[in-house]
Amino acid sequence: MNRNENQMERNKETKIYDIQAQEGQEKKPRALLAGLRLGGDREFDSSMEELGSLAEACGMEVAARVEQTLSNPTPAYYIGSGKVAEIKETVELLDIDYVIFEDALSPSQLKNLQKEIDASVMDRTSLILEIFSRRARTREARLQVESASLQYMLPRLVGMRDSLGRQAGASGSLSNKGSGEKQIELDRRKIERRISELRRELDAIEHDRDIQRRKRGRSALPLAALVGYTNAGKSTLMNRLLSACAETAGNSVKEEKLVMEKDMLFATLDTTVRKIEPGNRKDFLLSDTVGFVSRLPHGLIKAFRSTLDEVRYADLLLNVVDASDERFREQMRVTEETLRELGAEKIPCIHVMNKADRFMEPGELPRIDGNRIYLSAKQGLGTEELLSMIEERLYAGNREGIFLIPYSRGDLVSYLNENADVRAQEYLAEGVKIAASCRESDYERLRAFCC
């Protein structure tokens, strides 16, 4: 049996398949996906599909896929040594540029695999970090990604610089002075110093973000935050709400107000806050945050803490879910776990079941079921109903009050007009009589003027 027949037989056994590149298209880096099914892991197939989507989001072409079933990962290679040999041969046969493992690899596993395989070896964590580094646009996002990448790289320096260690003295008294400081130690110190610099810069940016957050807090406008799995349609929903509000006012939304929306994983990394002015309803602030993903690297969550903190300060969460994805329940679970890690699990939440037009008729949308609403952000089906739900929940804790404010306190009259729902206003000899619906904190502040 010749080499090609041997390869085809092994492909059949290990579920390796080749995806031929289209003629005339620009050649993309070719990737081989490698996964280890541990026992009865029922989420393995969906996790491998998501890994393929992540590779495509990184500009790669998935050319082959290798799977193996074991009870536990092997300490040396994560997969078996025989499977490593098959991957090595497949890399040569299909001209593979990257071998990407579905799970996180230990530093020693990464080192051993890189020695055996003539292609760049990555794991899920390093792939996500690479996507983030390509998507980062603002200075803050770039610093956050660099910090997470360096923290990931630091323990993996072992073995990378063996050939660069200093030599001992060749003769004379210097021969017993030892090998001197190795390059790996210099690299480690350089990385640690850079991480400290990044931490200081990010602390300064976080201080500025806190100032912005306090300014927004003084406006007394409640904040709703869009959260959810990456590519569920958060940015599309924000743009749709902005456009709907502009249309209600008889205007068109300004281009600079819109956020980037694209059908890919992690299209946007930066948090954006916009004021939503429905016209016939109460105004509120809406923030769009970075999307979540299964096993989002802890270093990224830590690095993006100041960005994700917008979620913790929200009065309401809008969990945007791609309801057309068969894995949406698993994605909701991942979102809930990430929110728990951020300390935001107790914030009231509306589950926005987006892309429902893919499995429901337009006439059936929107459909409201408790704290869930089925809609289509792209088609604009359910926008008005969602705004009603947001208003109802954001202002549910408001108190009705009638206040008689003396003319000497015109600042309080202005405050109520800007930050409360004023139902009636009358000018009397004693002062301004205002009937309004306001926050509990504002009601307590103005309790002395109640009448």
Side-chain angles (χ1 to χ4, degrees), residues 262-281:
K262 200 169 184 180
D263 186 16
M264 67 164 58
L265 303 183
F266 300 116
T268 54
L269 298 184
D270 305 303
T271 295
T272 306
V273 181
R274 296 286 184 266
K275 184 178 181 181
I276 305 297
E277 303 173 282
N280 54 337
R281 295 188 178 89

Side-chain angles (χ1 to χ4, degrees), residues 342-357:
L342 293 170
E345 72 276 12
K346 294 183 180 180
I347 299 174
C349 181
I350 295 175
H351 297 287
V352 183
M353 312 304 287
N354 192 26
K355 306 183 185 181
D357 56 310

Side-chain angles (χ1 to χ4, degrees), residues 220-222 281-285 389-399 419-421 437-439:
L221 282 178
R281 295 188 178 89
K282 300 182 183 73
D283 298 349
F284 63 94
L285 299 174
M389 292 179 71
I390 293 172
E391 180 185 41
E392 180 183 337
R393 285 158 178 76
L394 281 178
Y395 290 92
N398 278 21
R399 290 191 63 173
N419 302 294
D421 182 19
S437 172
C438 62
R439 285 183 171 186

Side-chain angles (χ1 to χ4, degrees), residues 71-116:
S71 57
N72 290 293
T74 65
Y77 296 108
Y78 182 73
I79 54 176
S81 57
K83 191 63 69 175
V84 174
E86 291 180 19
I87 291 177
K88 184 177 180 179
E89 192 170 347
T90 306
V91 165
E92 295 173 357
L93 186 67
L94 301 181
D95 192 24
I96 299 295
D97 300 293
Y98 295 93
V99 175
I100 307 172
F101 282 79
E102 184 270 338
D103 207 351
L105 299 173
S106 70
S108 61
Q109 289 168 343
L110 186 64
K111 171 189 171 184
N112 294 336
L113 287 165
Q114 193 65 73
K115 283 183 177 180
E116 296 292 333

Side-chain angles (χ1 to χ4, degrees), residues 235-439:
S235 298
T236 301
L237 181 59
M238 172 174 269
N239 287 342
R240 176 57 62 179
L241 291 175
L242 287 167
S243 299
C245 293
E247 289 168 8
T248 301
N251 303 315
S252 58
V253 64
K254 295 180 180 177
E255 191 69 28
E256 60 269 19
K257 287 284 186 180
L258 299 175
V259 297
M260 189 185 84
E261 55 180 272
K262 200 169 184 180
D263 186 16
M264 67 164 58
L265 303 183
F266 300 116
T268 54
L269 298 184
D270 305 303
T271 295
T272 306
V273 181
R274 296 286 184 266
K275 184 178 181 181
I276 305 297
E277 303 173 282
N280 54 337
R281 295 188 178 89
K282 300 182 183 73
D283 298 349
F284 63 94
L285 299 174
L286 182 64
S287 70
D288 180 21
T289 59
V290 62
F292 304 146
V293 73
S294 176
R295 285 170 285 166
L296 187 66
H298 180 75
L300 274 177
I301 294 179
K302 188 176 180 181
F304 276 74
R305 174 70 66 174
S306 63
T307 301
L308 292 171
D309 267 353
E310 290 292 342
V311 175
R312 292 200 303 116
Y313 290 95
D315 301 290
L316 176 69
L317 300 180
L318 304 180
N319 179 16
V320 184
V321 181
D322 180 357
S324 67
D325 194 318
E326 61 183 15
R327 300 167 294 171
F328 79 89
R329 289 184 180 85
E330 167 64 15
Q331 293 173 359
M332 292 178 73
R333 184 189 65 78
V334 170
T335 298
E336 289 169 4
E337 286 181 356
T338 308
L339 291 173
R340 195 175 301 115
E341 187 171 349
L342 293 170
E345 72 276 12
K346 294 183 180 180
I347 299 174
C349 181
I350 295 175
H351 297 287
V352 183
M353 312 304 287
N354 192 26
K355 306 183 185 181
D357 56 310
R358 295 183 179 179
F359 59 91
M360 296 172 66
E361 294 297 325
E364 299 179 79
L365 298 176
R367 193 180 85 194
I368 299 174
D369 183 11
N371 66 340
R372 291 189 180 190
I373 176 170
Y374 291 81
L375 51 73
S376 170
K378 189 173 183 180
Q379 304 298 331
L381 300 173
T383 305
E384 284 298 316
E385 289 77 5
L386 176 60
L387 285 169
S388 295
M389 292 179 71
I390 293 172
E391 180 185 41
E392 180 183 337
R393 285 158 178 76
L394 281 178
Y395 290 92
N398 278 21
R399 290 191 63 173
E400 300 288 335
I402 299 177
F403 309 97
L404 182 59
I405 301 174
Y407 290 111
S408 59
R409 296 303 309 272
D411 58 316
L412 296 179
V413 175
S414 298
Y415 181 85
L416 279 175
N417 278 287
E418 290 177 7
N419 302 294
D421 182 19
V422 176
R423 309 291 174 78
Q425 188 167 301
E426 184 179 2
Y427 292 89
L428 305 176
E430 301 88 351
V432 184
K433 187 177 182 181
I434 299 177
S437 172
C438 62
R439 285 183 171 186

Side-chain angles (χ1 to χ4, degrees), residues 95-161:
D95 192 24
I96 299 295
D97 300 293
Y98 295 93
V99 175
I100 307 172
F101 282 79
E102 184 270 338
D103 207 351
L105 299 173
S106 70
S108 61
Q109 289 168 343
L110 186 64
K111 171 189 171 184
N112 294 336
L113 287 165
Q114 193 65 73
K115 283 183 177 180
E116 296 292 333
I117 299 171
D118 189 22
S120 295
V121 178
M122 305 175 73
D123 60 9
R124 183 187 183 89
T125 301
S126 58
L127 179 61
I128 293 175
L129 286 169
E130 178 63 23
I131 295 171
F132 269 57
S133 67
R134 295 187 183 195
R135 298 281 191 275
R137 293 290 179 268
T138 65
R139 176 171 172 267
E140 180 181 17
R142 288 195 294 269
L143 292 175
Q144 289 167 329
V145 173
E146 184 184 355
S147 175
S149 299
L150 290 175
Q151 290 176 54
Y152 170 80
M153 185 191 303
L154 192 59
R156 289 164 175 79
L157 288 174
V158 180
M160 293 173 61
R161 296 284 192 173

